[in-house]
Amino acid sequence: MNLLLLGSGGREHALAWKLANSPLVDRLYCAPGNAGIARDAELVGLDAADHAAVADFCKAERVDFVVVGPEGPLVAGIVDDLEAAGIKAFGPRRAAARLEGSKAFAKDLCRAHAIPTAEYARFTGAAPAKAHVRQKGAPIVVKADGLAAGKGVVVAESVEEAEAAIDMMLSGGLGAAGAEIIVEECLAGEEASFFALCDGESAIPLASAQDHKRAFDGDRGPNTGGMGAYSPAPVMTEELSRRAMDEIVVPTLRAMKAIGAPFKGVLYAGLMINAQGPKLIEFNVRFGDPECQVLMLRLKSDLVPALIAARDGVLKSFDLRWHADVALAVVMAAKGYPGTYAKGSAIEGLDAAAAVEGVEIFHAGTKAEGGRILADGGRVLDVCALGRSVEAARERAYAAIEKIRWPQGFCRRDIGGRAVAGDAAGQS
Ligand code: AMP
Ligand code: GLY
């Protein structure tokens, strides 16, 4: 069969690598892709925002199945439009993608169905929002309702900081995404990413993973899309996985079905874990990036039948197999990320790095020019490795990074550090 994958990041490179490995796939296209994805798929210059153009391409090239990577096209309803044109697609329809597209929608759903999450209130006016913040005190969290490319959440340490965030969002600092805001309780605990493959009615949990959101070592610096990840995540015990399914994922699927918006696709629950168990920080309606990279490295089963079963609503008795090895991903980003950064610097040594045992390099933001690979984004490369332990995977990933010559880039040196510390604590 022929597949089209939409997206251009490290998540999509990992998906392309895995999909290309399936014996079911004849041709794999990716739009727009990047220089690394070009090794696994044929790149197509399509704009995912132009749903009609995507549908036309699928008909012309006899594409049987479309896999949508990022949230933007999902929230914009690309699955609705492709399915209406007779093309099967993986991912939630517009009405179900609201779980990520509108934080107010997701919070109201949690409240109505007793799904554990932070207490919150919704506001469209600055004065009542600030009065609420003064009454609750800091720390407190201010969030834009809509999609804001990772800039929509401010964890405020003081009332003044929260008030500044309220003013910024409600005065249009994030565009339409901030026309409504949520002010919520600040949760304490350890964060984990929980993923479930969903078919509208049933769900199967994927392997556990954890990312590192802050830019610099020791979890310092600004929030980013994610600077590294590892799987499995020791914090996510079997008992916690079961609770996340029973208390969060299953009730959400039931609620979405009841309102006529069944959720099909990957449901990504960002969790805060503390003594009371898992609480939902937020939903995403897609694979995490870079969590997807470590999950794809560990997935033994063919991904294609699993995605099709989710789309067809027949996941119930499906089974996914995982390698026992640990997978770890270190993100190499352009200096300045997540703020302003330059594009176009050359990256060398990639072949030598990829030759390190157990290493797989996914491209997150690159382009090819005159035989050279150039940086073309904030997050640029994901240097991933499998190993028997977190330490072994870590050693391999950083050994590969030593071989990459790219002075304009940086990475964190402590990816997986928490899991290592956790292992040590567990053994002592
Ligand atoms: P998001 O971009 O929505 O994933 O949020 C960014 C980060 O903000 C999360 O990964 C958390 O670290 C933090 N965050 C969001 N909501 C809360 C909350 N209610 N309590 C504590 N931290 C939060
Ligand atoms: N790694 C966080 C995300 O994909 O949103």
Side-chain angles (χ1 to χ4, degrees), residues 210-220 224 226-231 290-291 294 326-332 381-385 389-398 401 410-421:
Q210 191 153 18
D211 75 350
H212 295 61
K213 285 212 160 75
R214 301 297 192 101
F216 308 130
D217 287 11
D219 291 327
R220 285 176 227 276
T224 70
M227 293 299 292
Y230 56 91
S231 171
E291 293 97 321
V294 291
V326 172
L328 180 135
V330 181
V331 172
M332 298 186 79
L381 296 170
D382 305 312
V383 180
C384 305
S389 61
V390 180
E391 287 95 331
R394 219 160 111 108
E395 228 162 76
R396 287 171 164 179
Y398 285 107
I401 284 173
F410 77 100
C411 66
R412 278 182 59 163
R413 292 276 155 192
D414 62 348
I415 300 304
R418 278 212 189 181
V420 175

Side-chain angles (χ1 to χ4, degrees), residues 18-41:
K18 186 68 188 163
L19 295 170
N21 252 315
S22 168
L24 298 170
V25 174
D26 297 312
R27 303 189 80 152
L28 175 63
Y29 299 98
C30 182
N34 65 38
I37 296 175
R39 289 201 306 258
D40 297 299

Side-chain angles (χ1 to χ4, degrees), residues 118 141 143 153 155 184-187 191 213 272 281-282:
V141 182
K143 298 185 173 181
V153 176
V155 180
E184 70 178 35
E185 167 201 6
C186 189
L187 298 171
E191 282 189 63
K213 285 212 160 75
M272 191 68 89
I281 297 177
E282 62 162 5

